[in-house]
Amino acid sequence: MKFPYVSYLRVFEPLDVFDDEQQLLIMSQRGRGRDVTENLDRGDSLRRITRTVSDPFPHSSEDLIRVLHYPTSDGITAPRYCPNQLAVRSTLAAESLSSSLRDPLLGLLVPEAARDAQQSRLDPDNFVESLAKLHTRSSTWGIPFGWFVLFREDDHTERVETDHTLQTVRLAAPVPQCIDRARYAAASLAVAAPGLDLLEELTELIEWLETFTADAIVELDYGRVAELVYPDESPSDVHAGIESLADGDMTGAAAAYRRLAGRWIKIRQLARAS
């Protein structure tokens, strides 16, 4: 089965940031390889969408934990952890659908009985706590340009291949570094192009990243879209476009945007064709 192209922006934090219950869950999963975790996640997703009765929500109470071994300046890898928070994220996705779709289509995709059952499974306190600190953002059929602001092409990069087929590419950088990059870009846009949607997107990203500890690591996981765009110069093009705008170089900014649009338009065309 072919899944949609979904990319993720995740934040991984040290063990001591999490509460006792989460730490126990992390300890039970910390030795599992990342590839195994991704396969478990895809398998769970497939089982949910192929249920006899339409119900896209997770029923298991145990969350998946992803582990990132990020290299420090002294060459030692320090583990960081990202809870999947699937129950909360699926609830938010259903709410988003309910605001954009109407019955009978909404009822077919997310039946009211399934939504009611999901609400009964959620612990209100845990839901509010997770909502205040979501570790994962996702994007289907393309990567928001604002995400590229957080990274440079020389950041820590991991290529994941299976049988010589590129599965994903993951960029990673410390949270403080990502915040500084986003602040600089936002400040430049506020002066040069205050009407751009990218400025609002960066402001929201900064507010989100500021909820995490300074020891956290941000990861951009391209997902399967990597096979269509990698090697990818999008981070460089985004930064070049912002620098050109700040310098008043409209020609340079337009050229950077054309490169970006030309690279990602084919992905969005796939979304409309699917």
Side-chain angles (χ1 to χ4, degrees), residues 24-53:
L24 287 173
L25 183 61
I26 289 170
M27 295 296 288
S28 70
Q29 300 185 37
R30 66 188 303 177
R32 187 177 59 217
R34 180 71 179 267
D35 57 337
V36 177
T37 300
E38 300 302 341
N39 286 334
L40 286 172
D41 196 20
R42 281 192 291 269
D44 288 344
S45 176
L46 182 59
R47 282 188 290 274
R48 288 196 304 275
I49 63 177
T50 56
R51 285 172 179 156
T52 304
V53 178

Side-chain angles (χ1 to χ4, degrees), residues 3 10 42 80 115 132 249 271:
F3 286 89
R10 299 188 178 100
R42 281 192 291 269
R80 302 287 192 277
R115 281 177 275 164
D249 179 8

Side-chain angles (χ1 to χ4, degrees), residues 101-245:
L101 296 178
R102 294 183 179 180
D103 283 327
L105 182 57
L106 177 62
L108 290 173
L109 295 174
V110 191
E112 185 175 353
R115 281 177 275 164
D116 291 343
Q118 172 68 359
Q119 289 297 326
S120 67
R121 285 190 294 266
L122 292 174
D123 179 281
D125 293 334
N126 288 340
F127 181 82
V128 171
E129 184 177 342
S130 296
L131 193 59
K133 197 175 184 182
L134 277 177
H135 285 71
T136 302
R137 293 186 169 208
S138 62
S139 177
T140 306
W141 302 110
I143 297 176
F145 292 162
W147 291 10
F148 292 121
V149 172
L150 307 179
F151 300 95
R152 299 289 190 272
E153 290 181 335
D154 59 352
D155 284 335
H156 177 70
T157 304
E158 178 187 11
R159 290 172 55 102
V160 181
E161 296 183 5
T162 302
D163 298 328
H164 306 293
T165 299
L166 186 62
Q167 300 296 320
T168 188
V169 173
R170 301 183 184 119
L171 307 180
V175 157
Q177 199 170 71
C178 293
I179 291 176
D180 286 345
R181 292 167 177 174
R183 283 176 176 166
Y184 175 79
S188 299
L189 290 177
V191 173
L196 281 185
D197 293 340
L198 181 58
L199 177 57
E200 183 178 349
E201 182 182 341
L202 289 175
T203 301
E204 184 183 352
L205 278 174
I206 292 167
E207 293 174 351
W208 175 60
L209 292 175
E210 286 176 338
T211 65
F212 298 97
T213 178
D215 291 333
I217 303 296
V218 187
E219 176 193 82
L220 171 56
D221 186 345
Y222 275 67
R224 291 301 298 270
V225 76
E227 66 179 336
L228 300 179
V229 299
Y230 204 81
D232 181 31
E233 297 179 350
S234 294
S236 294
D237 286 335
V238 169
H239 290 290
I242 292 173
E243 291 290 346
S244 295
L245 285 172

